[in-house]
Amino acid sequence: MNGGTAGTRGDPVTEDKAARPPDAATGAALLRLVEVMDTLRVNCPWDARQTHQSLAPYLLEECYEALEALESGDESALRDELGDVLLQVVFHARVAAERTDGTGFDIDDVATGIVEKLIRRHPHVFGDVQVSGPEDVKRNWDAIKAAERGDRGGALPAGLESVPFGQPALSLAAQLQRRAEPVGDGGGPEGVSEIGAALFSLVARARAAGLDPEMELRAAARSYRDQVQRWAEKQNGGPA
């Protein structure tokens, strides 16, 4: 772990070095992105002053823009937006690498953590566990994840303590229901409004049908927007 002040890696990146070499190995551009971020953190006043807190809105914004590109079917836009999401990961890691209080980490720590997690949770690929299909894979993943949470301890059952409440409400309800399945849901939420209970129940219905309630409502909202736009154009004498 790199908890000290991070400097630039190699020579500063300039515009003439930005084009991707035709014979570059897959992943080489990721190293160049790290170099670019190091250079910006040192030489750009705006980048140099950013913190985890000041960057937080951009992390959320870029994820939503990537989702918008995915839903629109624009593959070129999706590529660009995924790059913006990737920038946020590299930026936050660069900020963290500068901490000197022992809590710092760098992009290699981030990558190492996810590599180790993927290997650990895929024993049928990297170990000798046998599976019969995707459902076995998911069961193994959930069991390994639960064991990891158990090692860390926690006051709430079924991993509920790790459910982020900052996510959209439909996704939040779906994730809570999914995490609560092993211990039962207790009959749904109590002491909430009739509308709240009905919405929570609709989430359960969507999940039972194999649907993602957040994506279903997003699709409905998108369809409604297009419908209203067509209606407005027709009213104004525009394209039907």
Side-chain angles (χ1 to χ4, degrees):
M1 176 180 292
N2 180 4
T5 301
T8 57
R9 297 173 173 85
D11 297 330
V13 176
T14 56
E15 187 174 356
D16 63 332
K17 296 172 64 178
R20 178 180 178 179
D23 58 347
T26 300
L30 295 176
L31 297 177
R32 295 175 62 245
L33 173 59
V34 173
E35 293 176 353
V36 169
M37 187 69 256
D38 284 343
T39 300
L40 291 175
R41 186 67 172 170
V42 172
N43 297 317
C44 174
W46 187 90
D47 290 286
R49 70 181 293 181
Q50 299 309 307
T51 66
H52 290 305
Q53 290 70 31
S54 68
L55 290 171
Y58 301 107
L59 179 60
L60 184 62
E61 176 183 316
E62 300 300 355
C63 289
Y64 277 124
E65 289 182 358
L67 180 59
E68 174 73 15
L70 188 154
E71 291 178 342
S72 72
D74 188 333
E75 301 297 339
S76 178
L78 177 60
R79 178 199 61 199
D80 290 344
E81 296 301 341
L82 289 176
D84 290 339
V85 173
L86 180 59
L87 169 61
Q88 295 305 307
V89 176
V90 173
F91 207 153
H92 278 280
R94 181 60 171 83
V95 171
E98 298 171 4
R99 291 201 295 269
T100 59
D101 60 359
T103 65
F105 57 85
D106 62 17
I107 192 63
D108 287 329
D109 295 314
V110 174
T112 297
I114 189 59
V115 167
E116 291 177 347
K117 178 185 290 186
L118 290 173
I119 292 174
R120 190 170 61 248
R121 295 189 184 177
H122 288 82
H124 57 289
V125 176
F126 301 102
D128 55 7
V129 172
Q130 301 295 315
V131 296
S132 60
E135 290 304 316
D136 280 354
V137 173
K138 186 178 184 305
R139 277 191 291 270
N140 287 340
W141 177 286
D142 291 341
I144 295 169
K145 186 174 183 178
E148 292 169 354
R149 288 196 303 264
D151 290 341
R152 294 194 298 267
L156 294 173
L160 297 183
E161 74 283 348
S162 63
V163 174
F165 269 67
Q167 61 184 305
L170 290 178
S171 296
L172 171 62
Q175 188 173 7
L176 286 170
Q177 291 177 8
R178 186 167 59 253
R179 293 285 182 89
E181 281 178 344
V183 294
D185 63 7
E190 299 177 353
V192 300
S193 69
E194 182 178 348
I195 292 296
L199 289 171
F200 199 84
S201 178
L202 279 175
V203 170
R205 285 178 55 190
R207 293 184 58 248
L211 302 173
D212 183 308
E214 181 70 25
M215 300 306 293
E216 292 300 311
L217 185 55
R218 287 181 63 85
R222 183 182 295 276
S223 175
Y224 179 70
R225 179 202 63 185
D226 294 344
Q227 175 183 324
V228 170
Q229 183 175 355
R230 290 192 299 270
W231 178 84
E233 289 174 347
K234 184 176 181 179
Q235 291 293 107
N236 293 328

